Amino acid sequence: MALSDEQIERYSRHILLKEVGAKGQKKLLEAKVLIIGAGGLGCPVGLYLAAAGVGTIGVADADTVDLSNLQRQIAHTTADIGKPKVQSLKESMEAINPDVTVHAYQKFIDSSNIRELIRDYDFIVDGTDNFAAKFLINDACVMEKKPFSHAGILRFQGQLMTYIPGQGPCYRCVFKDMPPKDAIPTCRQAGVIGAMAGVIGSLQAMETVKFITGTGKLLVGELLTYDGISQSFRKVKLPPCNGKCAICGEHPTITELRDYEQPACELRL
Ligand SMILES: [Zn+2]
């Protein structure tokens, strides 16, 4: 595939980078990424990946845009209130870049449909707001051997890590299982600073672009945390999978996906 004159101009700031170049840009145009969640994290991820020219992007979310979303979900506008989030995000992404094909899935992702959905994509971005979805995405990605970016935000704090099959611990290696009900407050209860979604979502977009272009070091085996109050980033080295993980270990006890009861404790967004 040769880049057109318009593409050479559009992506010139990527092409100038020796780590990306025309070769990396072509990889981006040929890549397929699925974003689960079109909210606080999914919006900046979707906008940056569309701008970067990721050729095929799936966006999955069952919700519609609500007035209280607009403080942080920057792809949606006041005029979008009541519209499906996937439609609103798709329109924003397509307005940025006509090179990008966006597939919108307006449905709840559960144990019955997630494996089939992620199978078509090279990289998965978890932009969801609750632990049930996070464990479901992790387990499905481990089963389908799909790399994915995990992230979570609450109040002035955010975190992210990347899972690459066979290269490091999965989300369940680190967090084991669902937290007890009500153990962790929701964004609705505890709040979240809007720009936190931008900071952490942009870092997820960075991981995605680096994965596709084979550039630099990914957050595999490391959890990056960000504290907006003290403006500090911290990297926590994660222990490698000891072979005992219930999903990615040597003798997994989870052999089929299950839907957890939605806990009251959303991680936020
Ligand atoms: Zn694991």
Side-chain angles (χ1 to χ4, degrees), residues 138-139 142 163 168-174 241-242 244-249:
N138 178 75
D139 294 355
V142 171
Y163 168 75
C170 78
Y171 179 73
R172 194 178 280 282
C173 287
V174 182
C241 179
N242 60 6
K244 294 188 177 142
C245 175
I247 184 77
C248 79

Short mmCIF file of all heavy atoms in Angstrom, two decimals, residues 138-139 142 163 168-174 241-242 244-249, ligand 1:
data_model
loop_
_atom_site.label_atom_id
_atom_site.label_comp_id
_atom_site.label_asym_id
_atom_site.label_seq_id
_atom_site.Cartn_x
_atom_site.Cartn_y
_atom_site.Cartn_z
N ASN A 138 -10.43 -8.95 30.56
CA ASN A 138 -9.16 -9.64 30.81
C ASN A 138 -9.26 -11.12 30.45
O ASN A 138 -8.43 -11.66 29.71
CB ASN A 138 -8.76 -9.49 32.27
CG ASN A 138 -7.47 -10.23 32.58
OD1 ASN A 138 -6.39 -9.79 32.22
ND2 ASN A 138 -7.58 -11.40 33.21
N ASP A 139 -10.28 -11.77 30.99
CA ASP A 139 -10.40 -13.22 30.81
C ASP A 139 -10.60 -13.56 29.33
O ASP A 139 -10.02 -14.52 28.82
CB ASP A 139 -11.55 -13.77 31.66
CG ASP A 139 -11.25 -13.63 33.16
OD1 ASP A 139 -10.14 -13.20 33.52
OD2 ASP A 139 -12.15 -13.93 33.98
N VAL A 142 -7.26 -13.07 27.50
CA VAL A 142 -6.34 -14.18 27.78
C VAL A 142 -6.75 -15.40 26.95
O VAL A 142 -5.92 -16.04 26.30
CB VAL A 142 -6.30 -14.51 29.29
CG1 VAL A 142 -5.51 -15.80 29.54
CG2 VAL A 142 -5.68 -13.35 30.07
N TYR A 163 -1.36 -5.73 28.81
CA TYR A 163 -1.18 -7.18 28.80
C TYR A 163 -0.82 -7.64 27.39
O TYR A 163 -1.51 -7.30 26.42
CB TYR A 163 -2.47 -7.88 29.24
CG TYR A 163 -2.47 -9.37 29.00
CD1 TYR A 163 -1.73 -10.23 29.80
CD2 TYR A 163 -3.21 -9.91 27.94
CE1 TYR A 163 -1.72 -11.60 29.54
CE2 TYR A 163 -3.20 -11.28 27.69
CZ TYR A 163 -2.45 -12.12 28.51
OH TYR A 163 -2.44 -13.47 28.25
N GLY A 168 3.81 -11.20 30.13
CA GLY A 168 3.73 -10.58 31.45
C GLY A 168 2.42 -10.94 32.12
O GLY A 168 1.58 -11.64 31.55
N PRO A 169 2.25 -10.45 33.36
CA PRO A 169 1.05 -10.78 34.11
C PRO A 169 -0.21 -10.17 33.50
O PRO A 169 -0.15 -9.13 32.85
CB PRO A 169 1.32 -10.17 35.49
CG PRO A 169 2.32 -9.09 35.25
CD PRO A 169 3.15 -9.54 34.09
N CYS A 170 -1.34 -10.83 33.70
CA CYS A 170 -2.64 -10.29 33.26
C CYS A 170 -3.26 -9.50 34.42
O CYS A 170 -2.74 -9.46 35.53
CB CYS A 170 -3.55 -11.41 32.75
SG CYS A 170 -4.35 -12.40 34.04
N TYR A 171 -4.39 -8.88 34.13
CA TYR A 171 -5.09 -8.07 35.14
C TYR A 171 -5.47 -8.93 36.35
O TYR A 171 -5.38 -8.51 37.49
CB TYR A 171 -6.34 -7.47 34.48
CG TYR A 171 -7.20 -6.61 35.36
CD1 TYR A 171 -6.80 -5.33 35.76
CD2 TYR A 171 -8.44 -7.06 35.80
CE1 TYR A 171 -7.61 -4.54 36.56
CE2 TYR A 171 -9.26 -6.28 36.59
CZ TYR A 171 -8.84 -5.02 36.97
OH TYR A 171 -9.65 -4.24 37.77
N ARG A 172 -5.84 -10.20 36.09
CA ARG A 172 -6.25 -11.08 37.18
C ARG A 172 -5.04 -11.55 38.00
O ARG A 172 -5.17 -11.81 39.19
CB ARG A 172 -7.03 -12.28 36.62
CG ARG A 172 -7.77 -13.07 37.66
CD ARG A 172 -8.55 -14.21 37.05
NE ARG A 172 -9.82 -13.84 36.46
CZ ARG A 172 -10.94 -13.59 37.13
NH1 ARG A 172 -10.96 -13.67 38.45
NH2 ARG A 172 -12.06 -13.27 36.51
N CYS A 173 -3.87 -11.66 37.38
CA CYS A 173 -2.66 -11.97 38.15
C CYS A 173 -2.45 -10.92 39.24
O CYS A 173 -1.98 -11.21 40.33
CB CYS A 173 -1.41 -11.92 37.25
SG CYS A 173 -1.21 -13.26 36.09
N VAL A 174 -2.79 -9.67 38.90
CA VAL A 174 -2.52 -8.55 39.80
C VAL A 174 -3.66 -8.33 40.78
O VAL A 174 -3.46 -8.17 41.97
CB VAL A 174 -2.28 -7.25 38.98
CG1 VAL A 174 -1.96 -6.08 39.91
CG2 VAL A 174 -1.18 -7.46 37.95
N CYS A 241 3.64 -13.59 36.42
CA CYS A 241 2.66 -14.63 36.72
C CYS A 241 3.40 -15.82 37.31
O CYS A 241 4.39 -16.29 36.75
CB CYS A 241 1.91 -15.04 35.45
SG CYS A 241 0.70 -16.34 35.75
N ASN A 242 2.94 -16.29 38.47
CA ASN A 242 3.64 -17.41 39.13
C ASN A 242 3.08 -18.76 38.67
O ASN A 242 3.36 -19.80 39.27
CB ASN A 242 3.53 -17.29 40.66
CG ASN A 242 2.09 -17.30 41.12
OD1 ASN A 242 1.17 -17.51 40.32
ND2 ASN A 242 1.88 -17.07 42.41
N LYS A 244 0.06 -19.61 38.86
CA LYS A 244 -1.13 -20.00 39.64
C LYS A 244 -2.35 -19.16 39.31
O LYS A 244 -3.41 -19.34 39.92
CB LYS A 244 -0.82 -19.91 41.13
CG LYS A 244 0.21 -20.94 41.55
CD LYS A 244 0.37 -20.98 43.07
CE LYS A 244 1.35 -22.07 43.44
NZ LYS A 244 2.22 -21.73 44.54
N CYS A 245 -2.22 -18.22 38.39
CA CYS A 245 -3.36 -17.36 38.03
C CYS A 245 -4.52 -18.22 37.55
O CYS A 245 -4.33 -19.19 36.81
CB CYS A 245 -2.95 -16.37 36.95
SG CYS A 245 -4.31 -15.36 36.34
N ALA A 246 -5.74 -17.83 37.97
CA ALA A 246 -6.93 -18.62 37.64
C ALA A 246 -7.26 -18.61 36.15
O ALA A 246 -8.03 -19.45 35.69
CB ALA A 246 -8.12 -18.10 38.44
N ILE A 247 -6.69 -17.65 35.42
CA ILE A 247 -7.01 -17.61 33.99
C ILE A 247 -5.78 -17.81 33.10
O ILE A 247 -5.85 -18.52 32.09
CB ILE A 247 -7.76 -16.29 33.62
CG1 ILE A 247 -8.19 -16.28 32.15
CG2 ILE A 247 -6.94 -15.05 33.90
CD1 ILE A 247 -9.37 -17.12 31.84
N CYS A 248 -4.63 -17.22 33.47
CA CYS A 248 -3.47 -17.34 32.57
C CYS A 248 -2.41 -18.29 33.13
O CYS A 248 -1.34 -18.44 32.54
CB CYS A 248 -2.88 -15.97 32.22
SG CYS A 248 -1.83 -15.25 33.49
N GLY A 249 -2.72 -18.94 34.28
CA GLY A 249 -1.76 -19.84 34.89
C GLY A 249 -1.64 -21.18 34.17
O GLY A 249 -2.27 -21.39 33.12
ZN ZN B 1 -3.05 -13.98 34.97
#
